[in-house]
Each structure stands twice: as structure tokens, then as C-alpha cells.
Amino acid sequence: MSSQNNISSAIADAQERARALDRDDPLAFTRNEFNIPTKSQIASTRLPDSATTKAGSGSDDGAADKCVYLCGNSLGVQPKRTQTRINQYLSTWATQGVQGHFKPLEESPLPTWLDADEKAAQLIAPIVGASEAEVAVMQTLTANLHLLMSAFYKPDINGKHKIMLESKAFPSDHFAVETQLRHHNLDPATSMITLTSPSSPEDNVLTTAEILAAITEHASSTALLLLPGIQYYTGQLLDIPTITAHAHSHGVFVIWDLAHAVGNAPLALHDWGVDAAAWCSYKYLNAGPGCIGGLFVHERNSAVPPPVEEVAEGEGEGEGEGEDYANRLAGWWGNDKRTRFAMVNRFRPVPGAAGFQLSNPSILDITSLSASLEVFAEAGGVGALRAKSLRLTAFLEGLLVGEGALVGREERALFRVITPRDPAQRGAQLSLKLSGGLLEPVMRELEKRAVIVDERKPDVIRVAPAPLYNTFEDCVLFVVAFAEALAVARKEVAV
Ligand SMILES: Cc1ncc(COP(=O)(O)O)c(C=O)c1O
């Protein structure tokens, strides 16, 4: 595709196809559940007055007024019902005070605060493919990774003491591993293994075979493997069941960071035999910036032995008890609910993931998360969303680099897709690596065109059509703006 005429007709054709796909989309209705910012809102530098921030307002303007928001991999947009549910929570607190903990209110869709964590666990369990008892809605992602490592990383300096992770892991994961090692008086130089892909040294798209080979090679000294379900930079979806099974066959405990996978790719953590995992809720789960995260602990890793006092009351208090959970860092909210308020200083966890909780959770956070998870349930869950996501991302890919691409030949030479081209090895996101120096002007030009995507310095743009609220037309609008941005940037940087 080279001439301007050809491009113009390809754009018109793509727009027509996109509109037809959107019309036939059985999930089209969920877009209206979200506040997609308008072009004028994202250009504005003022906080709108209260009239424009009422729940749901500003969202029913014509589609043409919306910005093109393809950034759910970073921060999901706000569900309209978030404001409604938060207002209901605020009314409960305002009118009931402490009674909100335990007094159910007629007509309220909200659980009592004492039950809110359990209710949220019920909503998240199907999204990660776990039983309700295997998940806990708690803390934030990095904190949960630390808590899981505190519980399950038991280094033996004469044997298995190393932690393996990718060399280009998200920095927080890298810091968490380094500091866990130091916490155990170990030296990251000798106890940390970072994986680099021999076949893809620049982008570090690790193949499953490369990961399996590294596990085999380091099995005798490796205690724990920390990997992302979906890699944040490349968008690669890893083969969680195969890697988990191989690690287990070598006695390696695996923790998965599911920041980019949760709510994006179908997960079956229980059936895959995953040991433990953690995630955040502000990306594809749309719970809001910094909102409460979650963790999964397979039921085989969270059993609680019977209480000692039932064996011999008073004698050898504490002896033998807690062997299986002694490593974890504990707090009162992880204590068995039946004795939580007995105020006895003898920790006995709730069996399951809930036994890893520390503090009473922020109900503001849980309310926000649960509002979004209601929409997930109405959409039919992650399976239905994945079916749309596969089509959306393939459509976007085709417009960028396929037969009918909307990008001219010269601009096409200025970027490449670093996300695996096999749909089974990626989620919603495509990562576009730009030629040197183009990132800043391309991002500026996209912003001018009311297109929101995110950048990862030095040269990657991440574009994520989220099936809950993005349309096929969004993909066309993005690619048209991207091609224009590249053309401007190319002249400016003279590549
Ligand atoms: C892959 C990955 N790991 C960890 C984090 C850190 O998350 P948090 O700030 O919620 O601890 C992020 C944040 O975006 C992430 O993308």
C-alpha cells in the first residue's frame, strides 16, 4: 500500500468493516457501562465542576466525541456504576457508622463490611479459575508478592536457595526478589537467576522451551520461580500450565505475577496446579488507580492442621501447631473468623487464601472493584470477553501490518510488532517498537489526535483494545492517527 489514494480507500473500507463488526458484536452493550473520556475532557487541564462528574454523565455524548482509549493495560476506564456503588457505601457509613460492619440494609446491593472480602473473592474466583477459598482480595500487587515469598520461599543455602525471574521483569518484581534475598541474608549476585532469551536478546521474548531448559539447568539450586502471566513490555502470554508442571517436576515453587493477565486472558489457576499468584485490579479489572489487589494460593498450599488444644488441652501450647503456616507474615484479618474477635494472641489462620490477609480491607477499594466485577459477570465472564479480544487484537494487527494495512510503506518501516504474532501467545495488547527517537514526537501527535495509549521508554508503544469497552472502530481510528503521527515524527527526526 503506497499511494495516498489507496490508503484513503483502505481507510474507508476498514471503517465500514469496523462498523459492521461493532454492529454485530454481542458484547457491544458493555461499552455503555463505562465512562470513556471525551476528547475535550482529556484535553482539559481543569477539574470539571460537580455537574459534569455525576455518575454516568458525559458518557452518552455521540461516539465521535470520545477519545480513543486503548490503555486498559495500564489503567482501565471507570465503570459508570462505580460512582453509584461508592455513593451507596458512603451513605451506609454516613448513616450507620460502625454498624455498617455487621448490619445488612434492606435494598442495599452491598454486603456488610465484615463480609465484603468474602463477597469480592466470590466475584474474582471465576476470573482466575479458582475456588472461592483459593483467592483473597487484599493489599496490592507488590505487597502480595512479598507476602507470598515470605510464606513459601524457604531457602536452603546448601541446596535450593535461588530465585529465578526474567532479566527484564517489571522493576517492582525485580526489587521484591532482590530484597527478599537480602532479607534472608543472601546475595542476589549468587542467589538470583535472571533469564535472557538466547533467541530474542533484544526484546527478551522467552520461548517456553527456553524457560523449561533454564529450570532444568538450575533445578538443583533453585527454590522459586517468579514469572509474569503476560509480560508487561512485550505483551507475551506465557504457557502457565506447561511451565508450572515442569517446575514442579523439579521441585521448584512457582509464583505468577498476573498484573496483565487477570481479566484479559482466561486463567485456570486451580486446574493448572499453580502454586500461588498475585495481581492488581486497576488494569483490565477497571477498579481504579492503586485499588486493592488479590492473590491465589492453591488449596494444597494453605491447609491448616487441627488445633493442638483439641488433642491435649493446655498442654504444650502451640507445639506442633502452625508448622505448615509458620513462615507466613500474619495479621488479625487472616485469623480464623470464629476466633478473630476473641482477641486471643494465638494465630490460627482461616484455611485457604483468606488466611494470608493482614488487615481489615479498605471497603472503599472493595466497593470499587466489585462494581467493575459486576460488569464482568454481566458480560458472561472472561471466556466471552476473550473471544471478542482475539478478534479485536487480530483486527488491529491487520490494520497495522496485514494485507490491508492503513500505514504507508515509509511509515511501516518505522516500527515493528514485538508481541508474539500467535494469538494464543498474547492477550489484548500489541507492543510496537519504534525506530530510535520517534517515541516522543509520536506520543505527542497521538495526544493531539485524542488517542490514549501508553509508552515504555525508550521506544515502545503499548496498544490494548479492551473487549469490555473498546470497539473495532477504535482500532481504525488509532491506526489512522498512528500513521499520521509517524509521518510527522519521521520528518521531524529525519529517519
Ligand atoms: C507486571 C507488574 N508487576 C508489578 C507491578 C506493580 O504493581 P503495584 O504497584 O500494584 O504493586 C505492575 C504495575 O503496573 C506490573 O505491571
Side-chain angles (χ1 to χ4, degrees):
M1 190 63 66
S2 51
S3 83
Q4 197 45 51
N5 279 351
N6 283 348
I7 295 275
S8 304
S9 76
I11 292 173
D13 172 60
Q15 249 154 359
E16 208 170 295
R17 278 187 295 134
R19 286 185 190 134
L21 288 165
D22 286 328
R23 262 195 314 274
D24 293 344
D25 172 15
L27 285 181
F29 71 97
T30 57
R31 178 174 168 89
N32 196 38
E33 290 289 335
F34 291 88
N35 287 311
I36 316 278
T38 61
K39 290 175 185 166
S40 65
Q41 283 169 340
I42 60 161
S44 171
T45 53
R46 287 188 63 241
L47 184 68
D49 62 30
S50 57
T52 58
T53 55
K54 275 208 304 275
S57 76
S59 311
D60 296 315
D61 318 333
D65 284 337
K66 303 289 181 196
C67 77
V68 176
Y69 193 95
L70 294 164
C71 208
N73 58 301
S74 179
L75 182 75
V77 294
Q78 186 187 95
K80 290 178 186 171
R81 74 181 74 188
T82 303
Q83 202 157 12
T84 310
R85 295 285 178 259
I86 286 180
N87 282 339
Q88 287 164 333
Y89 154 68
L90 290 173
S91 298
T92 308
W93 178 23
T95 59
Q96 301 298 318
V98 73
Q99 297 188 114
H101 280 302
F102 43 81
K103 180 176 156 191
L105 297 180
E106 279 171 35
E107 308 293 329
S108 174
L110 305 178
T112 62
W113 304 336
L114 278 182
D115 294 324
D117 50 354
E118 250 179 67
K119 256 302 214 283
Q122 282 167 18
L123 292 171
I124 199 82
I127 291 176
V128 297
S131 75
E132 282 162 37
E134 288 174 317
V135 290
V137 170
M138 57 183 273
Q139 306 291 336
T140 49
L141 174 51
T142 309
N144 285 334
L145 290 175
H146 271 301
L147 291 174
L148 289 173
M149 285 192 270
S150 304
F152 297 114
Y153 174 53
K154 300 172 185 169
D156 167 9
I157 192 58
N158 298 313
K160 286 173 166 284
H161 61 97
K162 295 184 185 168
I163 303 181
M164 186 185 283
L165 72 166
E166 339 144 70
S167 61
K168 293 195 179 167
F170 192 88
S172 205
D173 296 28
H174 190 99
F175 302 152
V177 167
E178 265 183 347
T179 52
Q180 280 286 330
L181 292 170
R182 293 215 173 89
H183 189 70
H184 286 278
N185 293 320
L186 294 170
D187 182 355
T190 49
S191 292
M192 184 159 94
I193 302 167
T194 55
L195 301 180
T196 300
S197 166
S199 63
S200 157
E202 197 188 338
D203 304 330
N204 211 37
V205 177
L206 287 151
T207 65
T208 304
E210 288 166 350
I211 296 171
L212 301 189
I215 295 169
T216 308
E217 182 187 343
H218 298 285
S220 62
S221 59
T222 301
L224 191 133
L225 173 62
L226 173 63
L227 284 175
I230 289 183
Q231 217 281 345
Y232 81 98
Y233 192 79
T234 64
Q236 179 195 10
L237 169 60
L238 275 72
D239 184 345
I240 299 175
T242 303
I243 295 166
T244 299
H246 188 74
H248 286 171
S249 72
H250 289 282
V252 176
F253 192 96
V254 196
I255 297 177
W256 291 93
D257 173 342
L258 300 177
H260 290 261
V262 69
N264 179 9
L267 299 167
L269 300 184
H270 176 85
D271 289 348
W272 293 341
V274 163
D275 286 308
W279 54 86
C280 55
S281 63
Y282 39 80
K283 300 178 186 294
Y284 297 96
L285 295 186
N286 312 307
C291 195
I292 196 161
L295 58 72
F296 164 88
V297 181
H298 198 280
E299 63 185 11
R300 69 170 175 273
N301 296 323
S302 62
V304 177
V308 165
E309 66 268 24
E310 279 170 20
V311 179
E313 200 164 334
E315 266 177 45
E317 199 169 292
E319 247 177 63
E321 189 174 355
E323 288 296 307
D324 290 354
Y325 51 81
N327 256 43
R328 80 178 65 169
L329 299 177
W332 76 312
W333 218 252
N335 199 67
D336 193 327
K337 263 188 163 180
R338 287 166 303 181
T339 53
R340 187 188 280 162
F341 291 94
M343 299 304 173
V344 178
N345 282 339
R346 190 158 159 204
F347 179 62
R348 185 165 176 74
V350 189
F356 290 76
Q357 296 177 98
L358 300 183
S359 305
N360 74 105
S362 160
I363 301 300
L364 187 58
D365 277 35
I366 289 199
T367 304
S368 183
L369 170 64
S370 302
S372 176
L373 296 185
E374 285 179 27
V375 184
F376 265 84
E378 286 169 20
V382 180
L385 289 165
R386 172 68 168 172
K388 175 173 172 185
S389 178
L390 286 168
R391 293 167 63 230
L392 262 182
T393 300
F395 187 70
L396 172 64
E397 183 182 37
L399 299 177
L400 282 165
V401 294
E403 286 280 295
L406 309 184
V407 184
R409 202 185 316 118
E410 283 168 315
E411 283 74 36
R412 175 67 195 83
L414 300 175
F415 73 94
R416 65 188 172 87
V417 179
I418 62 170
T419 307
R421 304 299 288 277
D422 171 8
Q425 291 184 53
R426 66 187 186 204
Q429 171 187 328
L430 293 182
S431 300
L432 312 179
K433 191 163 194 148
L434 309 184
S435 301
L438 290 181
L439 184 68
E440 194 269 321
V442 165
M443 286 301 286
R444 185 198 62 221
E445 292 301 315
L446 286 173
E447 194 182 323
K448 273 193 205 164
R449 290 162 177 76
V451 172
I452 308 279
V453 291
D454 93 341
E455 63 176 18
R456 281 288 167 248
K457 290 194 167 75
D459 48 20
V460 163
I461 288 183
R462 303 185 301 177
V463 189
L468 269 175
Y469 50 81
N470 283 124
T471 59
F472 290 88
E473 194 170 8
D474 281 338
C475 297
V476 177
L477 295 171
F478 164 72
V479 178
V480 170
F482 181 56
E484 289 171 5
L486 282 172
V488 174
R490 180 165 64 89
K491 291 195 188 116
E492 202 172 304
V493 180
V495 279

